[in-house]
Amino acid sequence: MGTVLKELEAEAVYVMREAVAQFERPALLFSGGKDSIVLLHLASRAFAPAPIPFPILHIDTGHNFPETIAFRDEAAKRYGVKLIVRYVQDSIDAGLVTEEAGPNRSRNVLQTVTLLSAISELKLDACFGGARRDEEKARAKERFFSHRNTHGQWDPKHQRPELWSLYNGRKNQGEHFRVFPISNWTELDVWQYIHAQAIPIPEIYFSHMRPVVVREDVLLAHTEFLVPIENEVIETKRVRFRTIGDATCTGAVYSDAATIEDVIAELIDSKTSERSTRADDKRSDSAMEDRKSKGYF
């Protein structure tokens, strides 16, 4: 493993240990995507030979890719960590959120309410997340320790300075923090680390044949959750996914990258952001920041 990856790993491990030292009830937000998988692996290294000292929490929209759910369950067993799942459908049934209508409906935004409900129910005071600053302009405003108020809201103007790698986890009753240990990593760093550590990841990240539709310049998987539009053409193409989320808004890319080495080579030549494939980020210029300000991941 190269010097840069060793330094990034050491930084992430330091942040995780600091968070566990400062907070009483942390959890790791786990989506089954590559970034949360890397976080889980880092946690196993940070606290070895002891077990990982916090559970993983998955907010299930009900519109996940089957490969993601299967991998989530297998990863929890492999790392010997407690898995907690909370469902957006339960929030809908309880009248806390309303299902969107129309062909572009998605549960991606709705999961914020489910997440905040889970944080309150489980009395969590910190949640590890796999967000990175290179993903999106709103992500770039995050600190390692990202303060959230009593309503779970994020205000970039009121984030605390983190000079000399000193992290301020002080909070009032009902407030909590999101902690982002891999903030300084790039997408390429993540893949190179996965390769160096031989970390298993879902096959959905590699090239495979899948029925897809092109909608508003996003290549969406044709699943039971996607509401069809008249005259929309469904074609089976060779694709892979750069991000994993709700199937209704997570776009694929045309790709022949069948191995980790292929993915790394593809990324070196790529001129587009990984989140350029996300339909949820295209709803407005400030879509991510708007969601984060309300408590999103």
Side-chain angles (χ1 to χ4, degrees):
M1 192 163 66
T3 301
V4 172
L5 287 182
K6 288 180 180 178
E7 290 176 351
L8 289 171
E9 180 189 59
E11 179 182 63
V13 164
Y14 173 73
V15 171
M16 283 188 149
R17 289 173 176 168
E18 277 292 300
V20 168
Q22 293 194 43
F23 300 112
E24 296 180 0
R25 295 178 67 87
L28 191 154
L29 301 179
F30 191 79
S31 66
K34 65 184 185 308
D35 301 309
S36 60
I37 291 168
V38 164
L39 276 189
L40 187 57
H41 183 80
L42 286 166
S44 72
R45 292 173 67 82
F47 303 103
I52 296 173
F54 42 76
I56 59 177
L57 170 63
H58 180 220
I59 304 302
D60 189 342
T61 67
H63 292 170
N64 299 99
F65 292 101
E67 300 97 320
T68 306
I69 299 300
F71 187 91
R72 175 200 70 187
D73 296 342
E74 188 276 329
K77 292 179 182 177
R78 181 171 0 105
Y79 285 97
V81 65
K82 180 181 179 182
L83 169 64
I84 302 172
V85 183
R86 291 296 180 266
Y87 300 91
V88 170
Q89 185 63 54
D90 290 341
S91 298
I92 295 171
D93 293 343
L96 299 176
V97 293
T98 302
E99 189 93 69
E100 292 184 350
N104 293 319
R105 68 189 187 196
S106 173
R107 290 184 173 182
N108 195 54
V109 175
L110 306 186
Q111 63 184 317
T112 296
V113 172
T114 310
L115 171 61
L116 294 178
S117 296
I119 290 172
S120 177
E121 171 204 346
L122 300 169
K123 296 180 173 57
L124 302 178
D125 55 3
C127 293
F128 292 103
R132 309 186 322 270
R133 293 188 178 115
D134 77 319
E135 288 182 89
E136 202 270 346
K137 56 183 179 295
R139 298 286 201 202
K141 299 178 182 179
E142 289 280 18
R143 300 287 196 266
F144 282 104
F145 277 30
S146 180
H147 175 262
R148 304 298 169 108
N149 66 20
T150 54
H151 301 290
Q153 297 171 326
W154 172 74
D155 184 347
K157 297 187 295 295
H158 293 141
Q159 297 300 298
R160 292 148 185 202
E162 294 181 338
L163 304 175
W164 306 292
S165 298
L166 297 175
Y167 306 120
N168 181 356
R170 293 180 181 177
K171 58 182 178 54
N172 297 317
Q173 183 72 27
E175 298 175 344
H176 72 277
F177 279 78
R178 308 289 171 84
V179 181
F180 301 112
I182 61 172
S183 287
N184 287 335
W185 297 42
T186 66
E187 183 184 13
L188 184 58
D189 292 329
V190 169
W191 277 101
Q192 289 177 331
Y193 187 75
I194 289 170
H195 182 255
Q197 294 291 310
I199 303 172
I201 60 169
E203 289 298 318
I204 197 171
Y205 277 115
F206 301 112
S207 177
H208 59 285
M209 301 299 291
R210 185 179 290 264
V212 295
V213 298
V214 178
R215 182 178 295 178
E216 298 179 2
D217 297 325
V218 177
L219 195 62
L220 294 174
H222 185 259
T223 66
E224 61 182 301
F225 314 121
L226 193 69
V227 180
I229 295 177
E230 187 177 1
N231 299 324
E232 199 164 52
V233 178
I234 303 168
E235 298 181 286
T236 299
K237 298 291 185 180
R238 183 168 295 280
V239 301
R240 74 176 188 87
F241 290 84
R242 290 175 70 180
T243 67
I244 292 181
D246 190 291
T248 60
C249 62
T250 303
V253 293
Y254 297 112
S255 176
D256 292 319
T259 66
I260 293 180
E261 293 87 349
D262 291 342
V263 171
I264 290 172
E266 185 178 88
L267 287 177
I268 290 173
D269 292 333
S270 177
K271 300 295 189 295
T272 60
S273 164
E274 64 186 298
R275 290 199 70 92
S276 65
T277 64
R278 295 294 295 256
D280 49 332
D281 287 355
K282 297 179 182 295
R283 293 191 173 193
S284 74
D285 290 340
S286 60
M288 171 64 80
E289 185 155 339
D290 292 342
R291 294 199 304 273
K292 284 172 59 61
S293 67
K294 297 175 182 177
Y296 187 74
F297 302 101

